[in-house]
Amino acid sequence: MPELPEVETIVRDLNKKVLNRAFIDVWTDVKKLIKKPSSFEEFKKQIRNKKIKKIWRRGKNIIFDLSDNYSLLIHQKLTGHLLLGKWQIGPTGYPGKWQPLSRGPLEEPVNRYIHFMFWLSGDLMLAFSDLRKFAKVELWRSDELKNSEEFKGLGPEPLEKNFTFNKFKEVLRRAQGKIKQVLMDQTVIAGIGNIYSDEILWETKIHPFKEIKRLNDEEIKKIYQAMKKILTKAIKLGGESISDFRRPSGEKGYFDSERKVYRREGEKCGRCGTIIKRLKLGGRSAHYCPNCQPIR
DNA sequence: AGTTGTGTTGAAGA
DNA sequence: ATCTTCAACACAAC
Protein backbone atom coordinates (compact mmCIF):
# COMPACT_ATOMS: atom_id res chain seq x y z
CA MET A 1 0.00 0.00 0.00
CA PRO A 2 1.98 2.94 -1.20
CA GLU A 3 1.72 5.85 1.24
CA LEU A 4 3.99 8.91 1.38
CA PRO A 5 7.28 7.05 2.12
CA GLU A 6 6.67 4.43 -0.56
CA VAL A 7 5.74 7.02 -3.17
CA GLU A 8 8.74 9.13 -2.20
CA THR A 9 11.00 6.07 -2.53
CA ILE A 10 9.73 5.45 -6.06
CA VAL A 11 10.14 9.09 -7.03
CA ARG A 12 13.72 9.26 -5.74
CA ASP A 13 14.73 6.01 -7.42
CA LEU A 14 13.17 7.05 -10.72
CA ASN A 15 14.81 10.47 -10.69
CA LYS A 16 18.20 8.74 -10.63
CA LYS A 17 17.44 6.68 -13.73
CA VAL A 18 15.05 8.24 -16.20
CA LEU A 19 15.61 11.99 -16.39
CA ASN A 20 15.88 13.31 -19.96
CA ARG A 21 14.60 10.09 -21.44
CA ALA A 22 11.61 10.29 -23.76
CA PHE A 23 8.46 8.18 -23.85
CA ILE A 24 8.73 6.24 -27.12
CA ASP A 25 5.60 4.11 -26.89
CA VAL A 26 3.04 2.73 -24.43
CA TRP A 27 1.01 -0.46 -24.06
CA THR A 28 -1.86 -1.35 -21.74
CA ASP A 29 -4.47 -4.06 -21.26
CA VAL A 30 -6.65 -1.96 -18.93
CA LYS A 31 -7.49 1.21 -20.84
CA LYS A 32 -10.04 2.28 -18.26
CA LEU A 33 -7.30 3.12 -15.75
CA ILE A 34 -6.59 6.12 -17.99
CA LYS A 35 -8.93 8.80 -16.68
CA LYS A 36 -7.47 11.60 -18.81
CA PRO A 37 -7.53 12.16 -21.75
CA SER A 38 -10.69 10.29 -22.60
CA SER A 39 -9.17 7.56 -24.78
CA PHE A 40 -6.03 5.43 -24.74
CA GLU A 41 -5.36 6.33 -28.36
CA GLU A 42 -5.32 10.02 -27.49
CA PHE A 43 -3.16 9.32 -24.41
CA LYS A 44 -0.66 7.45 -26.54
CA LYS A 45 -0.56 10.14 -29.19
CA GLN A 46 0.04 12.87 -26.60
CA ILE A 47 2.74 11.15 -24.53
CA ARG A 48 4.87 10.04 -27.47
CA ASN A 49 8.25 11.73 -27.73
CA LYS A 50 7.70 13.78 -24.56
CA LYS A 51 10.87 14.04 -22.51
CA ILE A 52 10.95 13.48 -18.72
CA LYS A 53 12.09 16.70 -17.06
CA LYS A 54 11.45 15.96 -13.41
CA ILE A 55 9.59 13.47 -11.23
CA TRP A 56 7.99 14.62 -8.00
CA ARG A 57 5.39 13.70 -5.40
CA ARG A 58 2.31 15.42 -4.02
CA GLY A 59 0.60 13.40 -1.31
CA LYS A 60 0.45 9.89 -2.74
CA ASN A 61 0.53 11.10 -6.36
CA ILE A 62 3.54 10.61 -8.63
CA ILE A 63 3.97 13.35 -11.22
CA PHE A 64 6.28 13.18 -14.25
CA ASP A 65 6.81 16.69 -15.58
CA LEU A 66 7.34 16.32 -19.33
CA SER A 67 8.43 18.56 -22.17
CA ASP A 68 5.87 20.80 -23.92
CA ASN A 69 3.99 21.58 -20.69
CA TYR A 70 2.70 18.01 -20.18
CA SER A 71 2.52 16.12 -16.87
CA LEU A 72 1.88 12.42 -16.37
CA LEU A 73 0.13 11.71 -13.07
CA ILE A 74 0.00 8.24 -11.54
CA HIS A 75 -1.84 7.38 -8.35
CA GLN A 76 -0.91 3.82 -7.39
CA LYS A 77 -3.85 3.33 -5.03
CA LEU A 78 -3.58 -0.03 -3.24
CA THR A 79 -1.36 -2.38 -5.17
CA GLY A 80 0.30 -0.35 -7.89
CA HIS A 81 4.03 0.20 -8.25
CA LEU A 82 6.36 1.32 -11.01
CA LEU A 83 9.26 -0.88 -12.12
CA LEU A 84 12.31 -0.22 -14.28
CA GLY A 85 13.95 -2.84 -16.46
CA LYS A 86 13.47 -4.79 -19.65
CA TRP A 87 10.74 -7.23 -20.49
CA GLN A 88 9.30 -9.09 -23.45
CA ILE A 89 5.92 -10.70 -23.98
CA GLY A 90 6.57 -14.29 -23.04
CA PRO A 91 6.37 -16.71 -25.97
CA THR A 92 6.69 -19.65 -23.60
CA GLY A 93 6.07 -20.36 -19.95
CA TYR A 94 3.52 -17.63 -19.37
CA PRO A 95 2.16 -16.93 -22.86
CA GLY A 96 0.96 -13.36 -23.29
CA LYS A 97 2.55 -12.18 -20.03
CA TRP A 98 5.47 -9.80 -19.72
CA GLN A 99 8.67 -11.65 -18.88
CA PRO A 100 11.61 -9.83 -17.27
CA LEU A 101 14.77 -10.28 -19.34
CA SER A 102 17.04 -10.42 -16.29
CA ARG A 103 17.06 -12.70 -13.27
CA GLY A 104 16.24 -11.17 -9.90
CA PRO A 105 13.45 -9.43 -7.99
CA LEU A 106 11.47 -8.48 -11.11
CA GLU A 107 10.62 -12.17 -11.39
CA GLU A 108 8.71 -12.11 -8.09
CA PRO A 109 4.98 -12.80 -8.47
CA VAL A 110 4.06 -9.40 -6.98
CA ASN A 111 5.95 -7.72 -9.84
CA ARG A 112 4.17 -9.64 -12.58
CA TYR A 113 0.78 -7.91 -12.66
CA ILE A 114 1.95 -5.59 -15.41
CA HIS A 115 -0.87 -3.56 -16.96
CA PHE A 116 1.13 -0.69 -18.43
CA MET A 117 4.40 -0.79 -20.32
CA PHE A 118 6.24 2.38 -21.33
CA TRP A 119 9.18 2.21 -23.71
CA LEU A 120 11.74 4.88 -22.84
CA SER A 121 14.57 6.20 -25.00
CA GLY A 122 18.01 4.77 -24.21
CA ASP A 123 16.88 1.13 -24.16
CA LEU A 124 14.91 1.05 -20.89
CA MET A 125 11.33 0.18 -19.99
CA LEU A 126 9.03 1.48 -17.27
CA ALA A 127 6.37 -1.01 -16.19
CA PHE A 128 3.35 -0.50 -13.96
CA SER A 129 2.33 -3.55 -11.94
CA ASP A 130 -1.10 -3.30 -10.32
CA LEU A 131 -2.69 -6.50 -9.05
CA ARG A 132 -6.09 -5.02 -8.29
CA LYS A 133 -6.28 -2.53 -11.15
CA PHE A 134 -7.38 0.38 -8.97
CA ALA A 135 -4.74 2.85 -10.10
CA LYS A 136 -5.33 6.16 -11.82
CA VAL A 137 -3.30 7.34 -14.81
CA GLU A 138 -3.76 10.84 -16.21
CA LEU A 139 -2.02 13.08 -18.70
CA TRP A 140 -2.42 16.78 -17.93
CA ARG A 141 -1.22 20.12 -19.17
CA SER A 142 1.26 20.95 -16.38
CA ASP A 143 -0.22 24.34 -15.54
CA GLU A 144 -3.76 22.95 -15.43
CA LEU A 145 -2.70 20.16 -13.07
CA LYS A 146 -1.17 22.59 -10.60
CA ASN A 147 -4.37 24.63 -10.56
CA SER A 148 -6.73 21.62 -10.56
CA GLU A 149 -9.37 21.17 -7.89
CA GLU A 150 -7.96 17.77 -6.82
CA PHE A 151 -4.55 19.33 -6.22
CA LYS A 152 -5.80 22.41 -4.45
CA GLY A 153 -7.93 20.20 -2.21
CA LEU A 154 -4.91 18.33 -0.86
CA GLY A 155 -3.70 19.19 2.62
CA PRO A 156 -0.12 20.31 3.36
CA GLU A 157 2.93 18.08 2.95
CA PRO A 158 3.91 16.77 6.41
CA LEU A 159 7.64 16.74 5.64
CA GLU A 160 7.93 20.24 4.20
CA LYS A 161 10.25 22.42 6.27
CA ASN A 162 7.75 25.26 6.47
CA PHE A 163 5.04 22.92 7.78
CA THR A 164 5.49 24.05 11.36
CA PHE A 165 3.88 22.83 14.55
CA ASN A 166 1.59 25.85 14.54
CA LYS A 167 0.41 25.06 11.01
CA PHE A 168 -0.27 21.47 12.05
CA LYS A 169 -2.27 22.71 15.02
CA GLU A 170 -4.22 24.96 12.70
CA VAL A 171 -5.22 22.22 10.25
CA LEU A 172 -6.21 19.94 13.13
CA ARG A 173 -8.31 22.67 14.69
CA ARG A 174 -10.31 22.94 11.47
CA ALA A 175 -10.85 19.16 11.32
CA GLN A 176 -13.21 17.07 13.39
CA GLY A 177 -13.61 13.37 14.17
CA LYS A 178 -11.30 10.65 15.40
CA ILE A 179 -7.56 11.25 15.19
CA LYS A 180 -6.81 8.21 13.02
CA GLN A 181 -9.41 9.19 10.45
CA VAL A 182 -8.20 12.77 10.42
CA LEU A 183 -4.56 11.74 9.90
CA MET A 184 -5.65 9.68 6.88
CA ASP A 185 -7.81 12.47 5.46
CA GLN A 186 -5.89 13.73 2.42
CA THR A 187 -7.65 17.09 2.52
CA VAL A 188 -6.33 17.67 6.06
CA ILE A 189 -2.78 16.42 5.56
CA ALA A 190 -1.41 14.69 2.46
CA GLY A 191 0.24 11.27 2.20
CA ILE A 192 -0.65 9.32 5.34
CA GLY A 193 -2.62 6.07 5.13
CA ASN A 194 -3.45 3.10 7.30
CA ILE A 195 0.07 1.88 8.07
CA TYR A 196 1.63 5.14 9.14
CA SER A 197 -1.40 6.47 11.01
CA ASP A 198 -1.30 3.32 13.19
CA GLU A 199 2.45 3.64 13.70
CA ILE A 200 2.32 7.36 14.55
CA LEU A 201 -0.42 6.84 17.14
CA TRP A 202 1.37 3.90 18.79
CA GLU A 203 4.52 6.03 19.04
CA THR A 204 2.58 8.84 20.73
CA LYS A 205 0.53 6.53 22.99
CA ILE A 206 -2.74 7.99 21.74
CA HIS A 207 -5.83 5.88 21.06
CA PRO A 208 -6.84 5.90 17.37
CA PHE A 209 -10.46 6.76 18.28
CA LYS A 210 -9.62 9.81 20.35
CA GLU A 211 -11.58 12.82 19.19
CA ILE A 212 -9.52 15.68 17.74
CA LYS A 213 -11.31 18.17 19.97
CA ARG A 214 -10.08 16.35 23.06
CA LEU A 215 -6.37 16.44 22.16
CA ASN A 216 -4.30 18.88 24.18
CA ASP A 217 -1.30 20.83 22.86
CA GLU A 218 1.17 18.35 24.28
CA GLU A 219 -0.51 15.46 22.47
CA ILE A 220 -0.67 17.38 19.21
CA LYS A 221 3.02 18.17 19.55
CA LYS A 222 3.81 14.49 20.06
CA ILE A 223 1.84 13.55 16.96
CA TYR A 224 3.61 16.25 14.96
CA GLN A 225 7.03 15.01 16.02
CA ALA A 226 6.22 11.31 15.58
CA MET A 227 4.80 12.00 12.13
CA LYS A 228 7.99 13.68 10.92
CA LYS A 229 10.21 11.09 12.58
CA ILE A 230 8.40 7.98 11.32
CA LEU A 231 7.81 9.19 7.76
CA THR A 232 11.47 10.26 7.47
CA LYS A 233 12.70 6.95 8.81
CA ALA A 234 10.40 5.01 6.47
CA ILE A 235 11.77 6.90 3.47
CA LYS A 236 15.30 6.14 4.61
CA LEU A 237 14.41 2.43 4.76
CA GLY A 238 12.76 2.45 1.33
CA GLY A 239 9.18 2.00 2.56
CA GLU A 240 7.11 -0.90 3.84
CA SER A 241 6.80 -4.11 1.80
CA ILE A 242 4.65 -6.33 4.02
CA SER A 243 2.23 -6.55 1.12
CA ASP A 244 2.61 -5.63 -2.54
CA PHE A 245 4.86 -2.60 -2.54
CA ARG A 246 8.24 -2.86 -4.24
CA ARG A 247 10.68 -0.20 -5.36
CA PRO A 248 11.48 0.34 -9.06
CA SER A 249 14.22 -2.31 -8.95
CA GLY A 250 11.58 -4.81 -7.80
CA GLU A 251 13.22 -5.02 -4.36
CA LYS A 252 11.50 -4.67 -1.01
CA GLY A 253 11.67 -1.72 1.35
CA TYR A 254 12.90 -2.35 4.87
CA PHE A 255 10.53 -0.44 7.12
CA ASP A 256 9.20 -3.81 8.31
CA SER A 257 11.82 -3.95 11.08
CA GLU A 258 10.29 -0.73 12.47
CA ARG A 259 6.64 -1.80 12.23
CA LYS A 260 5.23 -1.77 15.77
CA VAL A 261 1.48 -2.36 15.43
CA TYR A 262 0.20 -2.41 11.86
CA ARG A 263 -0.99 -5.98 11.10
CA ARG A 264 0.34 -7.22 14.43
CA GLU A 265 -2.98 -8.11 16.04
CA GLY A 266 -2.44 -10.86 18.63
CA GLU A 267 1.29 -10.13 19.01
CA LYS A 268 2.91 -8.53 22.03
CA CYS A 269 3.40 -4.78 22.22
CA GLY A 270 7.13 -4.01 21.91
CA ARG A 271 6.86 -1.51 24.75
CA CYS A 272 4.74 -3.20 27.42
CA GLY A 273 4.01 -6.77 26.27
CA THR A 274 0.24 -6.32 26.13
CA ILE A 275 -1.49 -8.10 23.23
CA ILE A 276 -2.07 -5.75 20.31
CA LYS A 277 -5.67 -5.33 19.25
CA ARG A 278 -7.49 -4.39 16.10
CA LEU A 279 -10.59 -2.22 15.84
CA LYS A 280 -12.80 -1.36 12.91
CA LEU A 281 -12.99 2.28 11.97
CA GLY A 282 -15.07 3.24 8.97
CA GLY A 283 -14.52 -0.09 7.21
CA ARG A 284 -10.79 -0.30 7.89
CA SER A 285 -8.52 -1.61 10.60
CA ALA A 286 -6.90 0.33 13.41
CA HIS A 287 -4.12 -1.56 15.23
CA TYR A 288 -3.11 -0.38 18.69
CA CYS A 289 -1.92 -1.37 22.13
CA PRO A 290 -4.83 -1.24 24.61
CA ASN A 291 -2.42 -0.62 27.50
CA CYS A 292 -0.13 2.04 25.98
CA GLN A 293 -2.98 3.74 24.13
CA PRO A 294 -5.93 3.91 26.52
CA ILE A 295 -9.20 5.45 25.34
CA ARG A 296 -9.63 8.24 27.92
C1' DA B 1 -15.59 -24.20 -1.53
C1' DG B 2 -17.76 -20.17 -0.16
C1' DT B 3 -16.89 -16.11 2.71
C1' DT B 4 -14.19 -12.51 4.43
C1' DG B 5 -10.33 -9.18 4.80
C1' DT B 6 -7.24 -6.32 2.44
C1' DG B 7 -6.92 -0.23 1.83
C1' DT B 8 -7.49 4.26 -1.53
C1' DT B 9 -10.51 7.14 -3.32
C1' DG B 10 -14.67 8.88 -5.23
C1' DA B 11 -19.37 8.20 -5.74
C1' DA B 12 -23.73 6.98 -3.96
C1' DG B 13 -26.69 6.61 -0.08
C1' DA B 14 -28.80 8.25 4.27
C1' DA C 1 -24.40 19.84 4.12
C1' DT C 2 -22.26 15.86 6.38
C1' DC C 3 -21.72 11.47 7.62
C1' DT C 4 -21.44 6.48 6.40
C1' DT C 5 -21.29 2.79 3.15
C1' DC C 6 -19.91 0.81 -1.02
C1' DA C 7 -17.75 -0.27 -5.51
C1' DA C 8 -13.77 -0.77 -8.31
C1' DC C 9 -10.71 -5.75 -8.45
C1' DA C 10 -7.81 -9.95 -7.39
C1' DC C 11 -6.03 -12.89 -4.23
C1' DA C 12 -4.85 -14.93 0.41
C1' DA C 13 -6.50 -16.80 4.43
C1' DC C 14 -9.94 -18.85 6.91
Side-chain angles (χ1 to χ4, degrees), chain A residues 255-292:
Chain A
F255 184 76
D256 213 55
S257 55
E258 297 294 320
R259 184 170 53 90
K260 310 293 189 187
V261 278
Y262 178 74
R263 285 209 193 170
R264 290 208 187 278
E265 184 188 21
E267 298 179 39
K268 283 182 180 174
C269 169
R271 209 161 34 201
C272 75
T274 305
I275 300 298
I276 291 163
K277 288 203 166 165
R278 182 165 66 98
L279 289 172
K280 276 285 173 187
L281 176 58
R284 44 231 302 212
S285 297
H287 310 78
Y288 74 110
C289 169
N291 180 49
C292 294

Side-chain angles (χ1 to χ4, degrees), chain A residues 79-141:
Chain A
T79 57
H81 55 275
L82 287 161
L83 298 165
L84 274 179
K86 288 181 205 174
W87 291 261
Q88 66 178 14
I89 290 278
T92 55
Y94 300 82
K97 295 259 182 184
W98 287 98
Q99 299 293 308
L101 292 179
S102 57
R103 308 305 308 266
L106 293 178
E107 294 177 300
E108 256 193 85
V110 71
N111 291 328
R112 305 193 82 121
Y113 299 91
I114 294 174
H115 295 298
F116 275 86
M117 188 60 81
F118 297 93
W119 284 263
L120 303 178
S121 57
D123 199 22
L124 189 62
M125 292 159 89
L126 176 67
F128 187 61
S129 175
D130 185 15
L131 187 151
R132 286 170 73 179
K133 301 185 215 169
F134 283 1
K136 177 172 90 171
V137 177
E138 296 176 336
L139 195 54
W140 288 78
R141 305 293 302 196

Side-chain angles (χ1 to χ4, degrees), chain A residues 95-231:
Chain A
K97 295 259 182 184
W98 287 98
Q99 299 293 308
L101 292 179
S102 57
R103 308 305 308 266
L106 293 178
E107 294 177 300
E108 256 193 85
V110 71
N111 291 328
R112 305 193 82 121
Y113 299 91
I114 294 174
H115 295 298
F116 275 86
M117 188 60 81
F118 297 93
W119 284 263
L120 303 178
S121 57
D123 199 22
L124 189 62
M125 292 159 89
L126 176 67
F128 187 61
S129 175
D130 185 15
L131 187 151
R132 286 170 73 179
K133 301 185 215 169
F134 283 1
K136 177 172 90 171
V137 177
E138 296 176 336
L139 195 54
W140 288 78
R141 305 293 302 196
S142 305
D143 44 2
E144 286 174 18
L145 175 63
K146 276 160 198 142
N147 294 318
S148 65
E149 285 306 314
E150 45 193 299
F151 253 47
K152 280 193 281 190
L154 283 174
E157 285 293 328
L159 292 185
E160 283 223 334
K161 284 216 167 62
N162 58 14
F163 184 57
T164 60
F165 171 59
N166 279 334
K167 285 190 178 143
F168 183 53
K169 231 163 70 175
E170 212 172 285
V171 298
L172 281 196
R173 191 162 44 76
R174 281 199 294 267
Q176 50 178 328
K178 298 174 172 63
I179 180 61
K180 179 173 167 75
Q181 277 181 323
V182 172
L183 283 178
M184 292 195 298
D185 185 340
Q186 303 302 298
T187 68
V188 174
I189 188 160
I192 298 171
N194 218 15
I195 300 175
Y196 295 103
S197 57
D198 278 355
E199 296 298 318
I200 290 166
L201 292 173
W202 180 85
E203 177 80 15
T204 54
K205 305 185 181 176
I206 293 168
H207 193 284
F209 285 17
K210 185 146 186 180
E211 292 289 326
I212 287 287
K213 292 188 288 286
R214 299 189 51 244
L215 293 171
N216 61 35
D217 268 23
E218 193 192 336
E219 289 172 313
I220 295 174
K221 184 104 195 186
K222 275 191 202 160
I223 296 172
Y224 175 78
Q225 288 166 342
M227 179 174 74
K228 293 229 178 206
K229 180 180 142 189
I230 291 172
L231 294 177

